[in-house]
Amino acid sequence: MPPRINLFTVGKALPGFRPSSSCAVSSRFSINRTHAASTVQAQRRWNSSKSEKKDDLDGLKGPTEDPLPHVSEEAAQMDKILHGGKYEAAASPELEQGTPVAEILQRDKDALKHMPKVMQDQLKRSSGNRSFSTFTRRYQPDLQEQEVTDPSVAVVANMINQVNQEVAELHPGLKFPAPESLPKTENFRERYDPLLEQFTKLLMRDGKLSKAQKNMSFILDHLRTAPPPQPHPKRRLLPGPPSPQLPLNPVLYLTLIVDSVAPLIKIRQQKGIAGGGAAVQIPVPLMQRQRRRTAIRWIIDASDKRRDSSFAQRVAHELVAVAEGRSGVWDRREAVHKLGVAGRSNLGLVTQRR
């Protein structure tokens, strides 16, 4: 088997395969020299080239590059143009603000000679001091003691006296009259009608007041948009506006419905008054809030028997039925009043026991 030949070691062993370093160095230097020569020639060519456009661009200036002359130089030029340099020494620009005209005219003798006669008289009269004072008087009472001759001042003084008299008539510590009590619509806690608030609280379930308010809003909208009620000949509402006008004011409409079916009394069962353990029915009068609460409870209980889908819709239809005398709430009211009339005789037993 022939021996292996390593080609990488052949160059080290045989000098014929190794390239000469002098050739590599010379070739490297030759490349660098040619590159440097080309760059030097290009640089010399660029530096030696003359461009007329470059000089032209250096000579051009923008509209804001030319500096403006000083104020004194401008004034001297204007004097030279107008007067031919006649007042060059005296006509220096007035750099300070508020320079009197007299000082300017004193520098120009011709202008001082030909100026108007009025100005000449003022210059002769002026002594260098003001003829009036610029500070207010310290003693104001002296002015009040003087007689008032201007009628406008007298009118203003009269108005001030009237205001002072009105303030004296008010309570001490008040400059203007005390404000009146706020109306119910502007009071946060009493901005709703009492019946409306009571009805809303009784509609509430599980403490959800916002839902009860939405139901109350739906009920009022139904009363407003529903056709006017047809009154029953025997079950009429309390005196109020005519039935065609009731939907125009749904709050008043609701108030009349509730107050019309509200009972005047309630029946209380009391034992031991007549002797023994028998209960005796005693009529007890109710306050307005109690009467309304009982009527609202009856209306809500009667609405549960309806087949409408929503709770608010059932209550609204029941209210319209009460207004037209078709609801069973009227029967409950009549029954309570009959028991009260029958139990009037039992009131004497209560007084005897006391």
Side-chain angles (χ1 to χ4, degrees):
M1 186 174 181
R4 293 183 179 180
I5 299 174
N6 192 355
L7 298 177
F8 294 100
T9 58
V10 172
K12 297 180 181 179
L14 300 176
F17 290 95
R18 185 183 301 172
S20 61
S21 60
S22 61
C23 296
V25 172
S26 61
S27 63
R28 190 187 309 166
F29 278 107
S30 62
I31 294 171
N32 293 337
R33 286 175 183 174
T34 54
H35 178 68
S38 62
T39 54
V40 170
Q41 291 176 2
Q43 187 175 4
R44 288 178 181 175
R45 189 180 299 111
W46 183 81
N47 291 334
S48 61
S49 61
K50 296 182 180 180
S51 59
E52 298 178 357
K53 296 182 179 180
K54 185 177 180 181
D55 298 338
D56 297 339
L57 293 175
D58 293 340
L60 296 177
K61 293 183 179 180
T64 58
E65 292 183 6
D66 190 9
L68 295 175
H70 195 263
V71 180
S72 59
E73 297 177 1
E74 184 180 359
Q77 292 178 3
M78 292 296 296
D79 179 62
K80 187 175 181 180
I81 294 171
L82 297 176
H83 306 287
K86 185 176 181 181
Y87 309 107
E88 184 176 358
S92 61
E94 301 299 328
L95 301 178
E96 297 181 358
Q97 297 181 359
T99 305
V101 181
E103 295 182 6
I104 299 175
L105 293 175
Q106 287 177 0
R107 301 172 187 173
D108 190 356
K109 296 182 179 180
D110 293 342
L112 183 62
K113 181 179 179 181
H114 299 289
M115 71 178 180
K117 186 177 180 182
V118 179
M119 298 181 66
Q120 292 179 3
D121 297 340
Q122 289 180 356
L123 289 176
K124 292 178 181 179
R125 294 175 186 174
S126 61
S127 60
N129 297 327
R130 292 191 181 96
S131 59
F132 57 90
S133 177
T134 58
F135 62 92
T136 57
R137 299 188 180 183
R138 298 181 180 179
Y139 299 98
Q140 193 69 17
D142 297 343
L143 294 176
Q144 297 179 358
E145 294 178 359
Q146 298 177 1
E147 296 182 358
V148 180
T149 57
D150 192 359
S152 61
V153 177
V155 172
V156 173
N158 189 14
M159 294 172 61
I160 294 173
N161 293 332
Q162 290 181 0
V163 172
N164 293 334
Q165 291 178 1
E166 293 178 358
V167 171
E169 293 176 358
L170 296 174
H171 298 285
L174 295 179
K175 187 175 181 181
F176 300 100
E180 299 179 357
S181 59
L182 293 175
K184 292 184 178 180
T185 55
E186 296 184 6
N187 194 334
F188 178 73
R189 298 189 179 278
E190 298 179 359
R191 56 181 173 175
Y192 298 118
D193 189 79
L195 174 63
L196 200 63
E197 186 176 2
Q198 186 179 7
F199 206 118
T200 305
K201 296 292 181 62
L202 292 175
L203 290 176
M204 183 171 57
R205 295 289 183 272
D206 301 330
K208 298 179 181 179
L209 182 60
S210 61
K211 188 175 181 180
Q213 290 175 347
K214 291 180 181 179
N215 293 335
M216 194 70 238
S217 177
F218 177 83
I219 292 170
L220 293 177
D221 288 342
H222 182 80
L223 294 178
R224 182 176 56 84
T225 57
Q230 301 296 331
H232 194 273
K234 294 183 179 180
R235 296 175 177 177
R236 294 182 176 274
L237 298 177
L238 292 177
S243 58
Q245 298 180 5
L246 288 176
L248 300 177
N249 191 350
V251 177
L252 178 61
Y253 191 8
L254 179 65
T255 304
L256 291 177
I257 292 173
V258 174
D259 290 343
S260 298
V261 295
L264 300 176
I265 58 175
K266 73 174 182 178
I267 304 301
R268 185 178 65 187
Q269 304 289 340
Q270 191 169 356
K271 296 181 180 181
I273 295 179
V280 179
Q281 296 179 351
I282 299 174
V284 179
L286 299 176
M287 301 296 291
Q288 184 183 24
R289 189 173 180 84
Q290 295 174 335
R291 295 175 59 243
R292 288 178 173 178
R293 182 179 182 276
T294 305
I296 294 170
R297 284 293 183 189
W298 289 351
I299 293 171
I300 294 175
D301 294 341
S303 66
D304 293 338
K305 300 177 182 179
R306 292 184 171 272
R307 298 181 180 180
D308 297 311
S309 58
S310 63
F311 173 68
Q313 194 172 4
R314 292 196 298 267
V315 176
H317 289 169
E318 187 65 26
L319 288 171
V320 175
V322 171
E324 294 180 352
R326 298 181 287 102
S327 176
V329 179
W330 290 97
D331 299 334
R332 296 187 66 173
R333 179 177 182 272
E334 293 174 0
V336 170
H337 285 180
K338 285 181 180 180
L339 291 176
V341 172
R344 286 183 300 175
S345 59
N346 298 330
L347 294 175
L349 300 176
V350 177
T351 56
Q352 290 177 5
R353 187 174 180 82
R354 290 180 181 177

